Structures are given as C-alpha cells and as structure tokens.
Amino acid sequence: MGSVRRAGRPADPVLTRGQIARAAYRRLSVIPPRHLRMSDLAGDLGVRTASLYNHVSNKDDVLNAVRDIVAESMDRSTLAVRPWPVALRAFARSYVAAFLPLHPEATAAIAILPMGHQPTVMRTYDAFCTLLDDAGWPVDQVMPTLLALESLCIGSVLDRRSPPGYMTPDDPLAVPAYARAYAANLAASAEALDLGLDALIEGLLARHPLPRPQPRPESP
C-alpha cells in the first residue's frame, strides 16, 4: 500500500523564482520579450499561471530575474585580478559572452530595465567597485567607468546578434567613404570590441596611471 500524503503544504516548494528565471531565459534565447507570455512560462513549468505570481510580480520582474541568471554566468573572479586594466579587459569579455545567448531585443530590454531584486548583479557591481576602490580611484569616477564599460559591452552584443549585413549601404556610390570602409572589413564585430577596449583602457590609464614599480634597494 502506498504512503499517504500528509495534508498541508508540501515540504519542498513546487516552484521557485530561479526556476521561472531559467524557463524565461530559455525562451528569451530565441524570442524577444514582447513575445514572452506568462502563460507559456507556466506551461513550461507545469503549473498554473497564477502560481507564477507567488514568486514574480510581473513580466519586468521576470526580466530582472533573467538578468541575475546572466550575471551568474559572468566570471566575477576576473574582478579579483590585479592590476585593474587586466581585470577590466577580462571582465568585459566575460560580460559579452554572458549576454550573447539572449535574443538581442532581450539584451536591450534588460539593459534599460530598472533594477529589482538581483543579488548576483549587485555582488558583481560591488566587486567592480572594489576593484577600482583598491586602485585608489576617486569615488565619483567609479560609476561613470562602470557605465562606460557596460555601454561598450552591450553595444558589442547587439552588433554581434544583429542580422548579417545589417549595415550594408543601399547606395554605395552616394556614400563612397563609408562604402570603402564597410567593404574593407565585413567582419568588424569582434575587432570592434578589441578596439573599444583598447581605447577605453588607454583613456582610463591616462586619467588613472598605474603606480610605477619601486626600484629594489641595492645590496651593500
């Protein structure tokens, strides 16, 4: 004879915020947020749509939970590397790689969405700020640097996930300089990230140079 189920709530929760986020992440890898429906997520998870609202308040909250999933795939250990230029370069590549699986419209939507409950994102931001604090940066220069790096990374993600040839000039004869530049480098996306990182880091180094190594004292 089988065991009798006890009355009341089950010992383990049937649904979690993390499960909802992972289901949404899977869908947002192939569809834009405007096509994401709560009823579809419920079907993926085998629950009623109403059950989702015990863990998320609305679709924006789902996107915030997805943003935390993306942050989990970033390599936060890169921000423990010193000196800071090495850390920024490695973190930027990890940032781009974390967003690339998402539909580009999902990346854009998440980038401008007001922050919600995102503990992993907050820990990542804190590690970034700690990196620059340890390097002695003025506190009012930390957030602009974070925003500049994020803007470069998000732009790189959107460029890489855009349709092939989306920047092709429709009338090359009317824009000859642009047409020559476009024809000279049809696979510019990866190089654009490298160029942007080089320019950003070189500019930051001009403002915040690394301390020069102290010469070792000569032995008597």
Side-chain angles (χ1 to χ4, degrees):
M1 182 175 178
S3 59
V4 178
R5 181 176 176 181
R6 295 180 180 179
R9 298 182 62 185
D12 297 321
V14 174
L15 188 63
T16 67
R17 181 180 175 88
Q19 289 173 327
I20 298 170
R22 287 188 288 274
Y25 180 94
R26 288 191 292 270
R27 284 190 168 267
L28 290 172
S29 65
V30 293
I31 65 170
R34 66 180 184 275
H35 293 159
L36 182 68
R37 298 189 303 178
M38 301 295 274
S39 58
D40 290 336
L41 291 180
D44 292 345
L45 295 165
V47 299
R48 295 178 301 166
T49 302
S51 300
L52 300 179
Y53 294 101
N54 293 323
H55 306 276
V56 293
S57 55
N58 50 39
K59 195 161 79 171
D60 279 355
D61 196 22
V62 172
L63 292 178
N64 265 324
V66 170
R67 177 157 45 187
D68 224 40
I69 292 286
V70 173
E72 287 176 4
S73 66
M74 295 178 189
D75 185 1
R76 197 162 67 245
S77 70
T78 57
L79 294 172
V81 175
R82 302 295 185 269
W84 63 262
V86 177
L88 288 194
R89 193 178 296 276
F91 177 66
R93 297 190 184 285
S94 175
Y95 191 112
V96 169
F99 270 98
L100 273 176
L102 288 179
H103 189 283
E105 290 185 28
T107 295
I110 287 173
I112 63 173
L113 188 68
M115 290 285 180
H117 177 62
Q118 298 167 300
T120 305
V121 173
M122 290 293 106
R123 286 193 296 270
T124 302
Y125 281 167
D126 191 65
F128 184 97
C129 295
T130 298
L131 169 71
L132 300 187
D133 284 347
D134 289 349
W137 285 39
V139 68
D140 63 348
Q141 293 298 302
V142 175
M143 282 302 297
T145 303
L146 171 59
L147 294 174
L149 187 69
E150 282 199 318
S151 297
L152 174 62
C153 292
I154 292 295
S156 178
V157 172
L158 296 179
D159 187 43
R160 294 192 193 193
R161 287 298 306 266
S162 296
Y166 79 104
M167 293 183 70
T168 304
D170 65 329
D171 185 0
L173 294 179
V175 286
Y178 174 70
R180 286 194 302 272
Y182 179 81
N185 194 352
L186 293 176
S189 296
E191 294 183 17
L193 177 62
D194 291 336
L195 179 63
L197 283 172
D198 287 345
L200 178 63
I201 290 173
E202 287 173 14
L204 292 173
L205 277 168
R207 295 186 176 198
H208 309 284
L210 295 175
R212 294 181 178 179
Q214 297 296 319
R216 294 182 180 180
E218 297 182 1
S219 56

